[in-house]
Amino acid sequence: MKSLMKRQVSAWVALIAIALMPLSVLAQTQLKYHSNKYSVQDDVQLGRRAAQEVEQQYPLLRDGQVENYVERVGQRLVSAIPSQFRHSEFQYNFKVVNARDINAFALPGGPMYVNRGMIEAARSEGEMAGVMAHEIAHVALRHGTAQATKGQKYGLLAGIAGIAGTILGGSQVGQLAQAPFAVYLLKFSREYETEADILGSQIMAGAGYDPRDLANMFRTIQQQGGGSSGGFLSSHPSPNDRYARINREAQLLRVEGGRGDTREFAAVQQRLRGYGSAPTMAEIARSGQRYPVGENTGNYPGNRPSGRVEYPSTRYQSYSILNGGVEVSVPGNWRQLNDGNAVWFAPEGGYGQFNGQVIYTHGASLGVAQTSSRGLQRATQELINGLAQGNRNLRASGGYQRTTLGGRTALLSNLTNVNEATGRSETIRLVTTQLRNGQILYMVAVAPQGERNFDTAFNTVFRSVRIND
Ligand SMILES: [Zn+2]
């Protein structure tokens, strides 16, 4: 089924975008950390939260060969980070975003996202590695939280500082996950960009790449029109200055062993071209689509076979959701997916994308709705009408049954639907109750018809609901 609520495009997360410029070994430029009121652990937490958001915001390319290749190049670079800029807490990982713009970005603590367009544009593995090394340098130098330490003076929007502040304030991580993320497009100061170019060059040389490839990548991007909106150069100005600076540094660096597997790089590029044209970041943002982590795991025709949907675990995990208004326990193998005003809990394989929409085949969602109708029964009918708009085959089977949800009067409605992704009949149960403020709290449970093992889980989830309004 499709979700009830409209999706909110939650905004962005730090584009600790790419900057470039290297330094070197002979009289390699010495870099220092900027003052930073955050702990290394804060970087890790902040980046982890942001990564979740990023992965709902942008479609990841799920291609084992490409993912594996990019990850290997990334780890090779990571192992060349100078010791004074290593943090054992950081976990660098590298994912490919299925977007056309020539760009890449990294989050505090190590999550990095490389656009498919960047890999396709690079003329060599070294050029691709250059951008990645630059991003790694931002992370290693802890530029995100250093910038947040300085507040907004350097063009940082309130978002990152606010979020970091929330983490430091000791508020529950669960709540943080619910909060709509502020959009914060992080632009670093020129000084930071130069530092990332310098350290990036040092990392490249240490990993066996020619640092000048970082500079060459600027040219490549310029030639390919990457200076336009959304591209690397839009967050990394003055490529000519940087080109010269990087090349100056490169002369100071000794490259440790020759690197750059041209054959594998060419094979990956060819593989990517086989996917046709990727959407731009702007198109992705405009679509408002949210991508659950593990996208394309749904058992839909056309998706890679992912096997069965796991049975609900008999161990339950509690969540505080909807800004602390509701507590609920769900099977431990279900994951939380924020979907506009609603929260879904679903097992792997129980949701995925179909025709650009997120469709659920197994799972439960809770949300709050404002209806124009008064009275629980009329409000419930209005909700069902809303659901029917997105699910053409939705039918009520029987009337309302009285029940309780979180200790208060509630209505249970049994519905049937034909899942538009799988074509299978499915059972939907909708339970509604009124909140003190007149809004409707609803819980929706969906599973294919006849999958009884989900009934028990839904009943347990349903009975676990506690309302704090
Ligand atoms: Zn940068």
Side-chain angles (χ1 to χ4, degrees), residues 68-85:
N68 187 287
Y69 170 71
V70 172
E71 181 72 26
R72 267 184 290 125
V73 171
Q75 294 304 339
R76 193 181 297 152
L77 294 165
V78 166
S79 60
I81 299 172
S83 57
Q84 68 271 35
F85 299 116

Side-chain angles (χ1 to χ4, degrees), residues 7 9 35 38 59 90 104 123 128 138 156 182 188 213 219 264 279 282 306 312 330 358 369 371 378 405 414:
R7 309 195 151 89
V9 183
S35 73
Y38 299 96
F90 282 11
R123 290 177 309 176
M128 178 188 85
H138 276 308
L156 181 67
F188 287 122
D213 275 345
R219 291 274 156 94
E264 194 173 11
S306 54
V330 305
V358 180
T371 58
R378 294 178 129 190
L405 181 65
N414 288 300

Side-chain angles (χ1 to χ4, degrees), residues 2-155:
K2 273 186 212 163
S3 205
L4 178 66
M5 304 306 293
K6 286 212 177 92
R7 309 195 151 89
Q8 288 175 336
V9 183
S10 99
W12 226 121
V13 184
L15 256 202
I16 298 184
I18 300 181
L20 310 162
M21 281 209 155
L23 262 188
S24 210
V25 174
L26 297 181
Q28 139 177 349
T29 305
Q30 299 298 311
L31 297 170
K32 289 198 186 119
Y33 289 109
H34 292 266
S35 73
N36 197 321
K37 68 180 179 184
Y38 299 96
S39 70
V40 168
Q41 200 53 48
D42 291 331
D43 279 47
V44 173
Q45 276 202 42
L46 183 58
R48 206 171 275 163
R49 291 281 146 208
Q52 283 183 359
E53 191 67 12
V54 166
E55 291 177 27
Q56 292 194 335
Q57 197 83 21
Y58 292 107
L60 298 184
L61 185 77
R62 305 284 183 181
D63 177 311
Q65 187 180 328
V66 177
E67 291 173 89
N68 187 287
Y69 170 71
V70 172
E71 181 72 26
R72 267 184 290 125
V73 171
Q75 294 304 339
R76 193 181 297 152
L77 294 165
V78 166
S79 60
I81 299 172
S83 57
Q84 68 271 35
F85 299 116
R86 284 190 194 170
H87 308 283
S88 58
E89 298 89 339
F90 282 11
Q91 291 183 336
Y92 290 91
N93 58 68
F94 303 84
K95 294 182 179 172
V96 179
V97 176
N98 190 32
R100 197 190 315 161
D101 317 65
I102 306 174
N103 214 337
F105 57 93
L107 299 170
M112 183 176 306
Y113 299 88
V114 177
N115 278 7
R116 190 185 132 195
M118 199 275 281
I119 304 172
E120 288 183 272
R123 290 177 309 176
S124 66
E125 179 176 294
E127 290 193 355
M128 178 188 85
V131 169
M132 293 168 71
H134 171 97
E135 289 303 309
I136 290 170
H138 276 308
V139 174
L141 291 162
R142 304 185 59 215
H143 278 164
T145 44
Q147 186 132 306
T149 300
K150 292 180 180 172
Q152 298 185 35
K153 268 192 294 187
Y154 295 89

